[in-house]
Amino acid sequence: MPLLRTEEVSVSFGGRRALDSVSVSAEAGRVTGLIGPNGAGKSTLFDVISGLRRPRTGRVLLDGQDITGEDPARRARRGLSRTFQHLELFGRLTVRDNLLVAAELGPGRRHAARTADRVLARLGLTDLADAPCDALPTGAARLVEVARALVLDPKVLLLDEPAAGQDAEETGRFAALLRTLAAEGTAVLLVEHDMSLVMTVCDEVHVLNLGTVVASGPPARIRHDETVLTAYLGKERP
Ligand code: ADP
Ligand code: MG
């Protein structure tokens, strides 16, 4: 049984269907990619999974339990952690303080400072610990969001375009981090436009287009799937 599963999740904004009966899953110990063109519904699906948006129909299951009705804080305590496509750091706080705010809410709250420093070291952010987040380049700020999600020691980690704004070297280190997290047993669900990152780091990929899942499978298969190429590239192939 996958650790995380959505079952036929639908969301509408006004009359517009943003998600139409979306069923995807993420397994412990694996990196699962969620790809698709802008507007496909990826961030909306993350909102549903993390509890920021109630689906019109459908369910979210964590470890077999229906968590569809639970608020985000409760889900976070269950081990569900996320980052945002539009960064949601406290800009005037330092990097360390952003982590401390999260650490105080998590299982390691009695050792919040130690937890924060351990995660900073792990992500190579120690030198930036005292910098205000406002002052960081995008690539580093995205890493801080990942760090903040990690202080909760999540079982499921949802990453919304975490590598946007990273340079090639940062992306290489980030790929290694994702594999390590998976090796430790975390279920990583990755929304990302960098196809070479997705194809090298993911065990499984779900492809969304216009709110529906058009393909699911290992990267090697997804890469050559005609439906995916058409949907993703937004044009017919010759
Ligand atoms: P993605 O993350 O794949 O780019 P989104 O989940 O952000 O896609 O958006 C999916 C669709 O839902 C888009 O058509 C978008 O315009 C629409 N949408 C997203 N959020 C809202 C909102 N708060 N109100 C109205 N429409 C929204
Ligand atoms: Mg998005």
PDB file of all heavy atoms in Angstrom, residues 4 7 11 17 24 32 37 58 64 82 89 92 110 142 144 146 153-154 157 161 176-177 188 193 207 210 220-221 224:
ATOM      1  N   LEU A   4       1.121   7.503   0.663  1.00  0.00           N
ATOM      2  CA  LEU A   4       0.191   8.597   0.355  1.00  0.00           C
ATOM      3  C   LEU A   4      -0.592   8.244  -0.906  1.00  0.00           C
ATOM      4  O   LEU A   4      -0.017   7.742  -1.874  1.00  0.00           O
ATOM      5  CB  LEU A   4       0.981   9.888   0.106  1.00  0.00           C
ATOM      6  CG  LEU A   4       0.144  11.074  -0.380  1.00  0.00           C
ATOM      7  CD1 LEU A   4      -0.688  11.652   0.764  1.00  0.00           C
ATOM      8  CD2 LEU A   4       1.039  12.148  -0.984  1.00  0.00           C
ATOM      9  N   GLU A   7      -7.466   9.713  -4.042  1.00  0.00           N
ATOM     10  CA  GLU A   7      -8.451   8.898  -4.747  1.00  0.00           C
ATOM     11  C   GLU A   7      -9.477   9.792  -5.395  1.00  0.00           C
ATOM     12  O   GLU A   7     -10.266  10.448  -4.708  1.00  0.00           O
ATOM     13  CB  GLU A   7      -9.158   7.949  -3.761  1.00  0.00           C
ATOM     14  CG  GLU A   7      -8.329   6.754  -3.398  1.00  0.00           C
ATOM     15  CD  GLU A   7      -9.085   5.801  -2.486  1.00  0.00           C
ATOM     16  OE1 GLU A   7     -10.230   6.112  -2.079  1.00  0.00           O
ATOM     17  OE2 GLU A   7      -8.524   4.748  -2.160  1.00  0.00           O
ATOM     18  N   VAL A  11     -11.427  19.203  -8.029  1.00  0.00           N
ATOM     19  CA  VAL A  11     -11.496  20.569  -7.505  1.00  0.00           C
ATOM     20  C   VAL A  11     -11.976  21.474  -8.631  1.00  0.00           C
ATOM     21  O   VAL A  11     -11.505  21.348  -9.766  1.00  0.00           O
ATOM     22  CB  VAL A  11     -10.111  21.057  -7.019  1.00  0.00           C
ATOM     23  CG1 VAL A  11     -10.138  22.551  -6.719  1.00  0.00           C
ATOM     24  CG2 VAL A  11      -9.646  20.280  -5.795  1.00  0.00           C
ATOM     25  N   ARG A  17     -12.984  23.281 -13.959  1.00  0.00           N
ATOM     26  CA  ARG A  17     -12.455  22.092 -13.311  1.00  0.00           C
ATOM     27  C   ARG A  17     -10.929  22.138 -13.315  1.00  0.00           C
ATOM     28  O   ARG A  17     -10.317  22.064 -14.373  1.00  0.00           O
ATOM     29  CB  ARG A  17     -12.987  20.876 -14.103  1.00  0.00           C
ATOM     30  CG  ARG A  17     -12.705  19.528 -13.513  1.00  0.00           C
ATOM     31  CD  ARG A  17     -13.491  19.233 -12.258  1.00  0.00           C
ATOM     32  NE  ARG A  17     -14.914  19.071 -12.438  1.00  0.00           N
ATOM     33  CZ  ARG A  17     -15.515  17.888 -12.649  1.00  0.00           C
ATOM     34  NH1 ARG A  17     -14.818  16.796 -12.748  1.00  0.00           N
ATOM     35  NH2 ARG A  17     -16.823  17.826 -12.756  1.00  0.00           N
ATOM     36  N   VAL A  24      -3.369   9.629  -7.570  1.00  0.00           N
ATOM     37  CA  VAL A  24      -1.923   9.422  -7.648  1.00  0.00           C
ATOM     38  C   VAL A  24      -1.461   8.860  -6.308  1.00  0.00           C
ATOM     39  O   VAL A  24      -2.175   8.936  -5.306  1.00  0.00           O
ATOM     40  CB  VAL A  24      -1.143  10.733  -7.944  1.00  0.00           C
ATOM     41  CG1 VAL A  24      -1.520  11.316  -9.300  1.00  0.00           C
ATOM     42  CG2 VAL A  24      -1.342  11.759  -6.839  1.00  0.00           C
ATOM     43  N   THR A  32       8.723  10.293  -6.213  1.00  0.00           N
ATOM     44  CA  THR A  32       7.665  10.251  -7.216  1.00  0.00           C
ATOM     45  C   THR A  32       7.544  11.624  -7.848  1.00  0.00           C
ATOM     46  O   THR A  32       7.385  12.622  -7.141  1.00  0.00           O
ATOM     47  CB  THR A  32       6.329   9.854  -6.554  1.00  0.00           C
ATOM     48  OG1 THR A  32       6.488   8.591  -5.898  1.00  0.00           O
ATOM     49  CG2 THR A  32       5.217   9.751  -7.593  1.00  0.00           C
ATOM     50  N   PRO A  37       2.273  20.608 -17.775  1.00  0.00           N
ATOM     51  CA  PRO A  37       2.436  22.013 -18.140  1.00  0.00           C
ATOM     52  C   PRO A  37       1.833  22.967 -17.100  1.00  0.00           C
ATOM     53  O   PRO A  37       1.071  22.535 -16.231  1.00  0.00           O
ATOM     54  CB  PRO A  37       1.701  22.132 -19.471  1.00  0.00           C
ATOM     55  CG  PRO A  37       0.879  20.906 -19.614  1.00  0.00           C
ATOM     56  CD  PRO A  37       1.454  19.857 -18.725  1.00  0.00           C
ATOM     57  N   GLY A  58     -13.675  13.203  -3.636  1.00  0.00           N
ATOM     58  CA  GLY A  58     -12.437  12.447  -3.573  1.00  0.00           C
ATOM     59  C   GLY A  58     -11.829  12.447  -2.185  1.00  0.00           C
ATOM     60  O   GLY A  58     -12.302  13.152  -1.291  1.00  0.00           O
ATOM     61  N   GLY A  64      -3.092   4.654   4.700  1.00  0.00           N
ATOM     62  CA  GLY A  64      -4.373   3.957   4.716  1.00  0.00           C
ATOM     63  C   GLY A  64      -5.489   4.697   5.441  1.00  0.00           C
ATOM     64  O   GLY A  64      -6.644   4.287   5.400  1.00  0.00           O
ATOM     65  N   ARG A  82       5.483  20.243   3.348  1.00  0.00           N
ATOM     66  CA  ARG A  82       5.531  20.714   1.967  1.00  0.00           C
ATOM     67  C   ARG A  82       6.322  21.998   1.821  1.00  0.00           C
ATOM     68  O   ARG A  82       6.554  22.717   2.790  1.00  0.00           O
ATOM     69  CB  ARG A  82       4.115  20.949   1.427  1.00  0.00           C
ATOM     70  CG  ARG A  82       3.487  22.209   1.975  1.00  0.00           C
ATOM     71  CD  ARG A  82       2.194  22.561   1.252  1.00  0.00           C
ATOM     72  NE  ARG A  82       2.428  23.079  -0.092  1.00  0.00           N
ATOM     73  CZ  ARG A  82       1.454  23.478  -0.918  1.00  0.00           C
ATOM     74  NH1 ARG A  82       0.198  23.367  -0.542  1.00  0.00           N
ATOM     75  NH2 ARG A  82       1.741  23.947  -2.093  1.00  0.00           N
ATOM     76  N   LEU A  89       8.525  31.941   2.916  1.00  0.00           N
ATOM     77  CA  LEU A  89       9.421  32.124   4.059  1.00  0.00           C
ATOM     78  C   LEU A  89       9.071  33.416   4.776  1.00  0.00           C
ATOM     79  O   LEU A  89       8.448  34.313   4.203  1.00  0.00           O
ATOM     80  CB  LEU A  89      10.869  32.199   3.579  1.00  0.00           C
ATOM     81  CG  LEU A  89      11.424  30.896   2.991  1.00  0.00           C
ATOM     82  CD1 LEU A  89      12.737  31.165   2.275  1.00  0.00           C
ATOM     83  CD2 LEU A  89      11.591  29.844   4.071  1.00  0.00           C
ATOM     84  N   ARG A  92      11.823  38.553   6.796  1.00  0.00           N
ATOM     85  CA  ARG A  92      12.666  39.386   7.672  1.00  0.00           C
ATOM     86  C   ARG A  92      13.338  38.579   8.770  1.00  0.00           C
ATOM     87  O   ARG A  92      14.215  39.074   9.465  1.00  0.00           O
ATOM     88  CB  ARG A  92      11.840  40.525   8.263  1.00  0.00           C
ATOM     89  CG  ARG A  92      11.427  41.498   7.143  1.00  0.00           C
ATOM     90  CD  ARG A  92      11.159  42.854   7.661  1.00  0.00           C
ATOM     91  NE  ARG A  92       9.959  42.843   8.477  1.00  0.00           N
ATOM     92  CZ  ARG A  92       9.092  43.838   8.542  1.00  0.00           C
ATOM     93  NH1 ARG A  92       9.304  44.948   7.857  1.00  0.00           N
ATOM     94  NH2 ARG A  92       8.026  43.761   9.290  1.00  0.00           N
ATOM     95  N   ARG A 110      11.608  19.863  21.599  1.00  0.00           N
ATOM     96  CA  ARG A 110      12.408  20.046  22.813  1.00  0.00           C
ATOM     97  C   ARG A 110      13.862  20.322  22.484  1.00  0.00           C
ATOM     98  O   ARG A 110      14.607  20.845  23.293  1.00  0.00           O
ATOM     99  CB  ARG A 110      12.283  18.807  23.712  1.00  0.00           C
ATOM    100  CG  ARG A 110      11.150  18.980  24.694  1.00  0.00           C
ATOM    101  CD  ARG A 110      11.131  17.875  25.724  1.00  0.00           C
ATOM    102  NE  ARG A 110       9.838  17.223  25.679  1.00  0.00           N
ATOM    103  CZ  ARG A 110       9.631  15.959  25.369  1.00  0.00           C
ATOM    104  NH1 ARG A 110      10.640  15.162  25.102  1.00  0.00           N
ATOM    105  NH2 ARG A 110       8.425  15.473  25.328  1.00  0.00           N
ATOM    106  N   ARG A 142      14.917  28.628  -1.911  1.00  0.00           N
ATOM    107  CA  ARG A 142      14.166  27.383  -2.103  1.00  0.00           C
ATOM    108  C   ARG A 142      14.721  26.268  -1.231  1.00  0.00           C
ATOM    109  O   ARG A 142      13.974  25.471  -0.671  1.00  0.00           O
ATOM    110  CB  ARG A 142      14.192  26.961  -3.573  1.00  0.00           C
ATOM    111  CG  ARG A 142      13.358  27.880  -4.431  1.00  0.00           C
ATOM    112  CD  ARG A 142      12.964  27.257  -5.744  1.00  0.00           C
ATOM    113  NE  ARG A 142      12.217  28.228  -6.525  1.00  0.00           N
ATOM    114  CZ  ARG A 142      10.916  28.450  -6.413  1.00  0.00           C
ATOM    115  NH1 ARG A 142      10.210  27.731  -5.562  1.00  0.00           N
ATOM    116  NH2 ARG A 142      10.322  29.368  -7.122  1.00  0.00           N
ATOM    117  N   VAL A 144      16.102  26.728   1.621  1.00  0.00           N
ATOM    118  CA  VAL A 144      15.676  27.021   2.996  1.00  0.00           C
ATOM    119  C   VAL A 144      14.247  26.499   3.209  1.00  0.00           C
ATOM    120  O   VAL A 144      13.920  25.953   4.268  1.00  0.00           O
ATOM    121  CB  VAL A 144      15.772  28.527   3.313  1.00  0.00           C
ATOM    122  CG1 VAL A 144      15.188  28.827   4.694  1.00  0.00           C
ATOM    123  CG2 VAL A 144      17.219  29.005   3.237  1.00  0.00           C
ATOM    124  N   VAL A 146      12.965  23.930   1.751  1.00  0.00           N
ATOM    125  CA  VAL A 146      13.103  22.475   1.902  1.00  0.00           C
ATOM    126  C   VAL A 146      13.596  22.158   3.313  1.00  0.00           C
ATOM    127  O   VAL A 146      13.084  21.254   3.979  1.00  0.00           O
ATOM    128  CB  VAL A 146      14.069  21.895   0.845  1.00  0.00           C
ATOM    129  CG1 VAL A 146      14.302  20.413   1.088  1.00  0.00           C
ATOM    130  CG2 VAL A 146      13.527  22.124  -0.566  1.00  0.00           C
ATOM    131  N   ASP A 153      10.849  16.393  10.194  1.00  0.00           N
ATOM    132  CA  ASP A 153      11.172  14.988   9.998  1.00  0.00           C
ATOM    133  C   ASP A 153      10.013  14.247   9.318  1.00  0.00           C
ATOM    134  O   ASP A 153       9.466  13.283   9.851  1.00  0.00           O
ATOM    135  CB  ASP A 153      11.490  14.347  11.368  1.00  0.00           C
ATOM    136  CG  ASP A 153      12.277  13.071  11.190  1.00  0.00           C
ATOM    137  OD1 ASP A 153      12.798  12.845  10.084  1.00  0.00           O
ATOM    138  OD2 ASP A 153      12.349  12.280  12.155  1.00  0.00           O
ATOM    139  N   PRO A 154       9.640  14.734   8.125  1.00  0.00           N
ATOM    140  CA  PRO A 154       8.412  14.238   7.499  1.00  0.00           C
ATOM    141  C   PRO A 154       8.521  12.813   6.970  1.00  0.00           C
ATOM    142  O   PRO A 154       9.589  12.355   6.582  1.00  0.00           O
ATOM    143  CB  PRO A 154       8.228  15.204   6.319  1.00  0.00           C
ATOM    144  CG  PRO A 154       9.599  15.664   5.981  1.00  0.00           C
ATOM    145  CD  PRO A 154      10.332  15.738   7.297  1.00  0.00           C
ATOM    146  N   LEU A 157       7.128  14.149   1.924  1.00  0.00           N
ATOM    147  CA  LEU A 157       7.646  15.480   1.627  1.00  0.00           C
ATOM    148  C   LEU A 157       7.151  15.902   0.251  1.00  0.00           C
ATOM    149  O   LEU A 157       7.451  15.246  -0.751  1.00  0.00           O
ATOM    150  CB  LEU A 157       9.179  15.433   1.666  1.00  0.00           C
ATOM    151  CG  LEU A 157       9.929  16.723   1.355  1.00  0.00           C
ATOM    152  CD1 LEU A 157       9.579  17.818   2.356  1.00  0.00           C
ATOM    153  CD2 LEU A 157      11.440  16.474   1.369  1.00  0.00           C
ATOM    154  N   GLU A 161       8.268  22.659  -7.218  1.00  0.00           N
ATOM    155  CA  GLU A 161       9.292  23.322  -8.027  1.00  0.00           C
ATOM    156  C   GLU A 161      10.497  23.791  -7.199  1.00  0.00           C
ATOM    157  O   GLU A 161      10.911  24.948  -7.281  1.00  0.00           O
ATOM    158  CB  GLU A 161       8.680  24.486  -8.828  1.00  0.00           C
ATOM    159  CG  GLU A 161       7.542  23.993  -9.718  1.00  0.00           C
ATOM    160  CD  GLU A 161       7.129  24.984 -10.795  1.00  0.00           C
ATOM    161  OE1 GLU A 161       7.933  25.854 -11.148  1.00  0.00           O
ATOM    162  OE2 GLU A 161       5.998  24.864 -11.297  1.00  0.00           O
ATOM    163  N   ALA A 176      21.054  14.594  -5.229  1.00  0.00           N
ATOM    164  CA  ALA A 176      21.647  13.642  -4.284  1.00  0.00           C
ATOM    165  C   ALA A 176      20.880  13.651  -2.966  1.00  0.00           C
ATOM    166  O   ALA A 176      20.634  12.592  -2.362  1.00  0.00           O
ATOM    167  CB  ALA A 176      23.114  13.980  -4.055  1.00  0.00           C
ATOM    168  N   LEU A 177      20.473  14.842  -2.522  1.00  0.00           N
ATOM    169  CA  LEU A 177      19.699  14.944  -1.279  1.00  0.00           C
ATOM    170  C   LEU A 177      18.380  14.170  -1.395  1.00  0.00           C
ATOM    171  O   LEU A 177      17.982  13.440  -0.483  1.00  0.00           O
ATOM    172  CB  LEU A 177      19.423  16.414  -0.954  1.00  0.00           C
ATOM    173  CG  LEU A 177      18.459  16.647   0.216  1.00  0.00           C
ATOM    174  CD1 LEU A 177      19.112  16.285   1.553  1.00  0.00           C
ATOM    175  CD2 LEU A 177      17.964  18.099   0.250  1.00  0.00           C
ATOM    176  N   VAL A 188       8.894  11.009  -1.221  1.00  0.00           N
ATOM    177  CA  VAL A 188       9.076  12.353  -1.782  1.00  0.00           C
ATOM    178  C   VAL A 188       8.173  12.492  -2.999  1.00  0.00           C
ATOM    179  O   VAL A 188       8.194  11.639  -3.884  1.00  0.00           O
ATOM    180  CB  VAL A 188      10.549  12.592  -2.195  1.00  0.00           C
ATOM    181  CG1 VAL A 188      10.714  13.984  -2.808  1.00  0.00           C
ATOM    182  CG2 VAL A 188      11.488  12.405  -1.015  1.00  0.00           C
ATOM    183  N   HIS A 193       9.892  21.252 -13.160  1.00  0.00           N
ATOM    184  CA  HIS A 193       9.935  21.444 -14.613  1.00  0.00           C
ATOM    185  C   HIS A 193      11.262  21.011 -15.227  1.00  0.00           C
ATOM    186  O   HIS A 193      11.352  20.828 -16.435  1.00  0.00           O
ATOM    187  CB  HIS A 193       9.682  22.917 -14.974  1.00  0.00           C
ATOM    188  CG  HIS A 193       8.247  23.298 -14.877  1.00  0.00           C
ATOM    189  ND1 HIS A 193       7.276  22.674 -15.628  1.00  0.00           N
ATOM    190  CD2 HIS A 193       7.597  24.206 -14.109  1.00  0.00           C
ATOM    191  CE1 HIS A 193       6.099  23.204 -15.338  1.00  0.00           C
ATOM    192  NE2 HIS A 193       6.261  24.129 -14.407  1.00  0.00           N
ATOM    193  N   VAL A 207       1.877  12.119 -14.732  1.00  0.00           N
ATOM    194  CA  VAL A 207       1.782  13.277 -15.628  1.00  0.00           C
ATOM    195  C   VAL A 207       0.362  13.824 -15.598  1.00  0.00           C
ATOM    196  O   VAL A 207      -0.604  13.096 -15.858  1.00  0.00           O
ATOM    197  CB  VAL A 207       2.146  12.899 -17.076  1.00  0.00           C
ATOM    198  CG1 VAL A 207       2.171  14.148 -17.953  1.00  0.00           C
ATOM    199  CG2 VAL A 207       3.491  12.198 -17.119  1.00  0.00           C
ATOM    200  N   LEU A 210      -4.278  19.447 -17.872  1.00  0.00           N
ATOM    201  CA  LEU A 210      -5.634  19.973 -17.747  1.00  0.00           C
ATOM    202  C   LEU A 210      -6.430  19.262 -16.655  1.00  0.00           C
ATOM    203  O   LEU A 210      -7.592  18.930 -16.831  1.00  0.00           O
ATOM    204  CB  LEU A 210      -6.365  19.857 -19.098  1.00  0.00           C
ATOM    205  CG  LEU A 210      -5.709  20.617 -20.257  1.00  0.00           C
ATOM    206  CD1 LEU A 210      -6.422  20.294 -21.574  1.00  0.00           C
ATOM    207  CD2 LEU A 210      -5.720  22.118 -19.999  1.00  0.00           C
ATOM    208  N   ALA A 220      11.580   6.024 -17.638  1.00  0.00           N
ATOM    209  CA  ALA A 220      11.981   5.518 -18.956  1.00  0.00           C
ATOM    210  C   ALA A 220      10.766   5.357 -19.868  1.00  0.00           C
ATOM    211  O   ALA A 220      10.849   5.554 -21.077  1.00  0.00           O
ATOM    212  CB  ALA A 220      12.711   4.189 -18.809  1.00  0.00           C
ATOM    213  N   ARG A 221       9.635   4.994 -19.250  1.00  0.00           N
ATOM    214  CA  ARG A 221       8.430   4.818 -20.057  1.00  0.00           C
ATOM    215  C   ARG A 221       7.783   6.163 -20.360  1.00  0.00           C
ATOM    216  O   ARG A 221       7.339   6.432 -21.472  1.00  0.00           O
ATOM    217  CB  ARG A 221       7.449   3.890 -19.341  1.00  0.00           C
ATOM    218  CG  ARG A 221       6.470   3.264 -20.298  1.00  0.00           C
ATOM    219  CD  ARG A 221       5.810   2.043 -19.680  1.00  0.00           C
ATOM    220  NE  ARG A 221       4.785   2.451 -18.739  1.00  0.00           N
ATOM    221  CZ  ARG A 221       4.517   1.804 -17.609  1.00  0.00           C
ATOM    222  NH1 ARG A 221       5.222   0.754 -17.256  1.00  0.00           N
ATOM    223  NH2 ARG A 221       3.556   2.219 -16.814  1.00  0.00           N
ATOM    224  N   HIS A 224       8.986   8.329 -23.284  1.00  0.00           N
ATOM    225  CA  HIS A 224       8.670   7.972 -24.668  1.00  0.00           C
ATOM    226  C   HIS A 224       7.178   7.867 -24.940  1.00  0.00           C
ATOM    227  O   HIS A 224       6.765   7.422 -25.999  1.00  0.00           O
ATOM    228  CB  HIS A 224       9.358   6.646 -25.023  1.00  0.00           C
ATOM    229  CG  HIS A 224      10.842   6.732 -24.895  1.00  0.00           C
ATOM    230  ND1 HIS A 224      11.602   7.544 -25.708  1.00  0.00           N
ATOM    231  CD2 HIS A 224      11.712   6.158 -24.020  1.00  0.00           C
ATOM    232  CE1 HIS A 224      12.879   7.436 -25.348  1.00  0.00           C
ATOM    233  NE2 HIS A 224      12.968   6.615 -24.318  1.00  0.00           N
TER     234      HIS A 224
END
